[in-house]
Amino acid sequence: MSVIDAFVRSPAQTAAPSPGPSRLREGIWAACFLAPTFAFLVAFVYAPALLAFALAFFNFHPGGTASYAGLSNFHAALSDPLFWRSMANTGLYALMMVPSTLVLSVALAALLHANRRLFRFAQSLVVLPYITPAVGTAIGWLWMYNPNFGILNALLRDVGLRPIGWLNSPEWAMPSVVLYSLWHGIGFDVLILLSAMSQIPEGVLESARVDGAGPWTRLFRITLPLISPTLFFIAVMTTIGSLQAFAQVYALSLSGGGPENATLTALLYIYQQAFTNGQFSYAAAMAAMLVICIFAVTALTRWIGHRFTFYQ
């Protein structure tokens, strides 16, 4: 059979190559490399999650005894006003975080992408807060939020405005936590957006510039539609992270939940019930309900995002 005949043969006539020893060896090596990661996930992620879900159906006591409780822990959570307050605070936090993150990250990424010199200088400054520990930087922000000698109120006094209670005020406590969270986490989103913007063909933007499109037109008509999958990814990840807010709230509220429980998020309340009050089964039931809510909100976000996402 000639070489040409070999190329023109149909796929049905061509026999599939049989897996040889090399492929088997590659599969064994791949399994060996994946085994530690899989074992870690099973031991420290999946198994604890299943045990926590099972614990929600029992009354576990710190002494080691446990008795079957059925759905009583879930009923108690549904009738707990503080649980609903924590869920409402978590939803408010997410509603404030997601739009603010998208707007600020797009603005910073567009500014850095348009100015190459500024990009090189400010890229590390933007990502620096993200790589710092939340509890450590929260201590500095506690000083800045201090109503008496904090720098933020000092700036307000300098411009003739009244000082704000910040973390001591029920109205300003949650916005203060959101402000810190934006400062701490937005650098990661900016880097992702900069990477997406760098993948846009320069010829597309240059053609729009030649046709007379201004910077705002190019941003809203070309750049944002082309990076919409990245924006959708940031929206989903920010939503999930906001519904799991704990470290920043714990540090800024000194684990108390703020004035009048204004910053008591669901995860902080679960932590208090488990490790402060010793109600592990009750906390496990609330955690299971929170996981269900996160799955539902994430599915809704994905459904909405796919309707407005442009895929090339």
Side-chain angles (χ1 to χ4, degrees):
M1 181 173 51
S2 64
V3 177
I4 298 178
D5 294 335
F7 276 97
V8 300
R9 291 182 64 185
S10 63
Q13 296 174 335
T14 304
S18 58
S22 59
R23 288 198 174 187
L24 179 61
R25 191 181 305 111
E26 291 177 358
I28 294 175
W29 276 109
C32 292
F33 282 114
L34 291 175
T37 302
F38 182 72
F40 179 86
L41 290 175
V42 171
F44 296 102
V45 178
Y46 300 128
L50 292 176
L51 290 176
F53 183 75
L55 186 63
F57 297 93
F58 291 84
N59 285 327
F60 175 78
H61 303 285
T65 60
S67 58
Y68 182 72
L71 298 176
S72 60
N73 290 318
F74 295 93
H75 293 159
L78 292 175
S79 60
D80 187 353
L82 271 182
F83 174 70
W84 289 110
R85 176 64 185 274
S86 67
M87 293 293 287
N89 289 340
T90 304
L92 176 62
Y93 178 83
L95 287 176
M96 298 174 70
M97 276 294 298
V98 176
S100 302
T101 298
L102 291 175
V103 172
L104 290 179
S105 60
V106 167
L108 286 174
L111 179 63
L112 295 177
H113 185 70
N115 193 324
R116 294 298 180 180
R117 294 182 180 178
L118 183 62
F119 169 77
R120 293 179 180 179
F121 173 75
Q123 184 178 9
S124 58
L125 297 180
V126 171
V127 75
L128 183 61
Y130 177 75
I131 62 177
T132 56
V135 176
T137 54
I139 296 175
W141 278 76
L142 283 173
W143 174 81
M144 294 171 58
Y145 280 142
N146 190 280
N148 298 321
F149 53 82
I151 188 174
L152 295 180
N153 277 344
L155 293 175
L156 292 178
R157 293 188 187 97
D158 290 341
V159 297
L161 299 177
R162 296 180 57 185
I164 296 176
W166 300 110
L167 295 173
N168 297 330
S169 170
E171 293 79 15
W172 284 96
M174 185 61 77
S176 300
V177 175
V178 171
L179 179 61
Y180 165 77
S181 301
L182 288 172
W183 171 84
H184 186 267
I186 202 171
F188 176 74
D189 303 316
V190 172
L191 287 182
I192 293 179
L193 288 175
L194 284 173
S195 177
M197 290 179 179
S198 64
Q199 301 300 318
I200 298 177
E202 193 63 31
V204 176
L205 297 175
E206 186 64 27
S207 299
R209 191 181 294 108
V210 171
D211 291 340
W216 292 105
T217 302
R218 295 196 301 270
L219 176 63
F220 287 100
R221 296 295 182 89
I222 299 176
T223 301
L224 292 184
L226 290 178
I227 66 171
S228 56
T230 305
L231 292 174
F232 169 62
F233 169 78
I234 293 176
V236 172
M237 298 303 297
T238 306
T239 301
I240 296 174
S242 300
L243 296 178
Q244 297 176 344
F246 173 76
Q248 60 271 46
V249 180
Y250 180 88
L252 292 176
S253 65
L254 300 178
S255 73
E260 300 180 12
N261 297 313
T263 58
L264 182 66
T265 58
L267 213 55
L268 179 59
Y269 187 55
I270 293 171
Y271 171 85
Q272 291 176 349
Q273 291 298 320
F275 299 102
T276 302
N277 301 333
Q279 302 291 333
F280 295 100
S281 298
Y282 184 47
M286 291 188 293
M289 297 171 65
L290 177 62
V291 169
I292 294 174
C293 291
I294 292 175
F295 272 118
V297 173
T298 304
L300 178 62
T301 305
R302 288 175 58 85
W303 180 79
I304 295 175
H306 281 305
R307 299 173 66 90
F308 299 97
T309 302
F310 170 76
Y311 294 97
Q312 299 182 13

